[in-house]
Structures are given as C-alpha cells and as structure tokens.
Amino acid sequence: ETGVTQTPRHLVMGMTNKKSLKCEQHLGHNAMYWYKQSAKKPLELMFVYNFKEQTENNSVPSRFSPECPNSSHLFLHLHTLQPEDSALYLCASSHEGQGAYEQYFGPGTRLTVT
Amino acid sequence: GENVEQHPSTLSVQEGDSAVIKCTYSDSASNYFPWYKQELGKGPQLIIDIRSNVGEKKDQRIAVTLNKTAKHFSLHITETQPEDSAVYFCAARPPETGNQFYFGTGTSLTVIP
C-alpha cells in the first residue's frame, strides 16, 4: 500500500462514452502526475500538477482532460477515446521542494476502449 | 531530452543466484535515478534510488551502482527469491525538466525455484 489510491481499477468504455478516472493521495504530497503505461513502451508522462497548478502537458490529445481540485485529488476526464488509448493509467504523487524527488504510484486503472 | 535504455528486456535466474539489470542515460545533468518493481496487477513500487553524488547504495539484498562518467547505473539483486519475480523499471531525472522522470522499457525478471 503506497498511500495512493485509484478508482476504478478496471474500466471498459466505448468510443463515444465519457468517463473519469480518480486518484487520491494520503501522503501529504503537493505534486501529482498522470502516466500512461502501454505494453513494451516506457511509462509516458501525461500531466503534472504542482500545488494544484498544471505545470506539464506532454502533448496529450484533448480527449484527455485533467482536473486537480486540491493537492490530494486528481481526476482524468475521458471522452471520445480511440482503441489505441487502451492502456494502464497510473497516478503518482511526490513532495516538491526541499530536494525530495521520490514519486509514489497508485495501482492504476486498466482502461479498455472498444 | 533525456533517453534511458534498459537491458535486458527479460531475465531468468535460478533461485539463490544474482540478477543484474543495467540502464544507460544520455543527459549528463540527470541527478536522481530510481528503480521500481511492478508486480502483476499492481502499480510500480519504488525499491531503491540513488543520487548523482553517490556511487553505490545498498538495502539488504538490493544494491544500485552509478557510473556518472559512463552514464550508466545498475540494479543488483543477490540471493534471488521467487517473490523477486516482477518487471523492474529504471528512470532518470534531469533537473531542468522539474521532477519529470524518463523511464526505461522494463526488465521482466523470473526467478526459477
């Protein structure tokens, strides 16, 4: 148990659906991240939030929309996805500042787009 | 940008033997190198890390070495056990990108009882 929880753990959605992924961290961290993990590829950073402000968007298509209402919660809103968006979506958190770099991951949401 | 390469992609060892996984990186400014273990159905778990001002770090059966000149770092697991079977990822952090990590493609380790 890393202190980062994600729901749902599994999600199947059609290309016209709208769904949201949720992440919550119980570590008192102030930065949160969304990663995409596909088979045979390195983890891809999608979004970074520091102190609730988005500081990184790695050219992610607009069909993925993040939301960070506070430093403990992070959402990823999904709409009109493509089959190639099927992957494991991982949330992570860290404590920015004071030389702390460690990132702690949640268990992920396995997304299947049909 | 930073580029991290990881080898081998798969590794099988007999229980009790040692396992070594190697990573190279391209950005000489990278200053933090974590290793993650990912078991089936779980997220990556941080198992050990090393900073650029240190050459070696050990935690029980796990050790990491860093060669800044050659820009490579390695994970060493001694006295392997079946529960060490998992996918292992290395990563590098270039400070100019904030706290962004660049990951290797992973090594699937199987420990044969």
Side-chain angles (χ1 to χ4, degrees):
Chain A
E1 190 64 48
T2 62
V4 181
T5 58
Q6 289 186 244
T7 55
R9 294 294 310 276
H10 301 272
L11 178 62
V12 179
M13 60 185 289
M15 289 190 285
T16 58
N17 290 159
K18 288 185 180 181
K19 296 286 184 183
S20 295
L21 310 185
K22 179 182 176 182
C23 176
E24 183 173 359
Q25 58 95 3
H26 311 272
L27 300 169
H29 289 165
N30 53 19
M32 298 186 77
Y33 312 77
W34 280 117
Y35 286 88
K36 177 183 179 182
Q37 186 175 34
S38 305
K40 308 296 184 185
K41 294 175 69 175
L43 272 72
E44 302 172 52
L45 180 66
M46 301 174 71
F47 302 103
V48 181
Y49 277 84
N50 281 322
F51 297 97
K52 302 186 298 179
E53 298 296 321
Q54 183 175 317
T55 58
E56 198 75 38
N57 175 342
N58 280 358
S59 303
V60 180
S62 60
R63 57 186 183 269
F64 295 91
S65 175
E67 178 189 0
C68 188
N70 55 62
S71 57
S72 298
H73 294 86
L74 185 65
F75 295 88
L76 188 62
H77 304 299
L78 316 171
H79 63 98
T80 59
L81 294 190
Q82 305 298 310
E84 58 264 30
D85 296 323
S86 299
L88 182 68
Y89 288 85
L90 292 161
C91 173
S93 71
S94 70
H95 185 82
E96 285 299 291
Q98 300 179 339
Y101 305 145
E102 299 85 352
Q103 291 184 21
Y104 296 90
F105 285 84
T109 294
R110 173 67 63 186
L111 174 66
T112 303
V113 182
T114 61
Chain B
E2 175 66 278
N3 181 48
V4 177
E5 295 189 358
Q6 182 171 348
H7 300 281
S9 57
T10 59
L11 179 61
S12 291
V13 299
Q14 290 292 136
E15 182 177 357
D17 287 351
S18 295
V20 180
I21 303 170
K22 299 182 179 181
C23 288
T24 60
Y25 60 100
S26 60
D27 189 339
S28 57
S30 287
N31 61 358
Y32 174 71
F33 307 91
W35 284 91
Y36 287 86
K37 174 184 181 183
Q38 187 173 22
E39 297 175 276
L40 201 61
K42 297 185 178 181
Q45 176 192 3
L46 179 66
I47 57 172
I48 196 167
D49 55 14
I50 192 167
R51 302 197 176 209
S52 56
N53 59 349
V54 175
E56 184 174 358
K57 183 176 179 181
K58 189 173 181 180
D59 182 4
Q60 299 183 335
R61 298 186 295 108
I62 295 174
V64 56
T65 58
L66 171 65
N67 183 326
K68 285 195 300 181
T69 304
K71 289 188 283 188
H72 68 71
F73 56 113
S74 301
L75 177 71
H76 305 255
I77 306 174
T78 58
E79 301 171 28
T80 53
Q81 301 168 3
E83 52 265 39
D84 294 329
S85 296
V87 179
Y88 291 81
F89 294 94
C90 63
R93 174 193 180 274
E96 63 268 22
T97 61
N99 207 32
Q100 182 166 342
F101 291 179
Y102 290 82
F103 285 86
T105 49
T107 296
S108 178
L109 172 66
T110 301
V111 179
I112 304 166

